[in-house]
Amino acid sequence: MQSSVPKQYLSLLGRPVLWRTLERLCACQSVAGVMVGYAPGDPHWASLTGLLGGLTKPVVACEGGSRRADTVLNMLKALAGRVADEDWVLVHDAVRPCVRVEDIDRLVQEAGGTADGGLLALPVADTVKRTDAGGRVTETVPRAGLWRALTPQMFRLGRLREALERTVKMNLEITDEAMAIELTGGHPRVVACHPDNLKITHPGDLALAELYLKQQT
C-alpha cells in the first residue's frame, strides 16, 4: 500500500477501513457480534476502540498470531464459553469493507444447510494461463468450475477449530479457512456474490473502495 500505516487503518470516507468493515458486518441481522484479531504489538488498534460505540453489535478483540491460521485459531479458542461448537462463525478479511449485506445473508442461508459450510466466491471470468519459472506459458487452464475465493467464509466453530488445529500441527500453510476444511475431508459450498467485494491490497484499491461504497449507498 506504500504506507507506513497498515491498510486496515487507512481512512476510507472519513473512517478507518476496519471500522467500515465492522459497520458492514454489524448491519447483518444474522450476526450476533464481531471479534477482531489484531497483530501482536499492534499500536493502532487502541485508537480505533473509541469508535466502536457507534456500531450496532458488540465488538471484542483478540491478539492474533504470526500466520492467518494462528490468528483465526486464537479467536476461535477465545470464543469458548460464549459460542457453542455447533454454532456458525464467519471469518472475514478486515480489508473487505464493501461486502454487501445481501451477499452475507445469502451465504448464511445457503451454507447454513450444509455439513461443511461455505464461502463467498466469484467464478473466474478471464482466461487462465500456467507458466514456468521463466514466465513462459506452459498451458491454458480450463476455467470451468474455477472460482475466486473471497470472504466471509462460514463454518461451525468446532469443525473449523479442529481443522485449523490439524493443519497447524502438520505445519501446512493455508491461505483461507475453506482450505483447512478441504484438507480435513470437507467440501465447502461456494456462494456467488457481487464483484464489488473488493480486497484492498494496492493504493488504487482505496479509491475504488470509496467509489463502490458511494455507489452502494
Side-chain angles (χ1 to χ4, degrees), residues 73-181:
L73 188 55
N74 282 359
M75 292 195 291
L76 295 177
K77 291 178 177 179
L79 286 172
R82 305 187 194 193
V83 182
D85 276 2
E86 63 270 18
D87 287 335
W88 294 98
V89 291
L90 294 164
V91 182
H92 188 55
D93 294 328
V95 288
R96 288 190 186 273
C98 303
V99 60
R100 299 191 184 205
V101 172
E102 62 193 90
D103 286 337
I104 299 176
D105 289 341
R106 186 180 304 111
L107 172 64
V108 170
Q109 181 178 4
E110 295 189 19
T114 68
D116 294 320
L119 62 150
L120 291 184
L122 286 172
V124 173
D126 300 311
T127 299
V128 179
K129 305 289 186 181
R130 178 174 283 114
T131 64
D132 60 18
R136 295 180 296 270
V137 173
T138 59
E139 66 172 314
T140 298
V141 181
R143 63 180 180 229
L146 292 182
W147 293 72
R148 291 170 50 208
L150 312 181
T151 67
Q153 302 191 358
M154 175 177 147
F155 310 98
R156 294 195 186 277
L157 186 148
R159 175 75 173 88
L160 180 57
R161 185 188 64 237
E162 292 171 2
L164 289 173
E165 286 176 339
R166 288 176 63 182
T167 55
V168 168
K169 186 175 181 180
M170 292 185 288
N171 201 32
L172 297 175
E173 189 65 35
I174 65 166
T175 53
D176 69 351
E177 291 65 46
M179 185 177 176
I181 298 294

Side-chain angles (χ1 to χ4, degrees), residues 11-93:
S11 180
L12 177 59
L13 294 178
R15 295 280 191 172
V17 168
L18 176 54
W19 191 92
R20 292 291 176 193
T21 303
L22 294 173
E23 180 186 39
R24 192 57 60 94
L25 293 173
C26 289
C28 298
Q29 290 187 351
S30 55
V31 172
V34 183
M35 174 173 279
V36 176
Y38 60 89
D42 184 344
H44 303 281
W45 168 247
S47 65
L48 188 65
T49 56
L51 300 174
L52 301 182
L55 300 172
T56 58
K57 302 288 176 63
V59 177
V60 295
C62 173
E63 185 174 287
S66 59
R67 300 175 298 178
R68 179 189 181 104
D70 299 318
T71 295
V72 175
L73 188 55
N74 282 359
M75 292 195 291
L76 295 177
K77 291 178 177 179
L79 286 172
R82 305 187 194 193
V83 182
D85 276 2
E86 63 270 18
D87 287 335
W88 294 98
V89 291
L90 294 164
V91 182
H92 188 55
D93 294 328

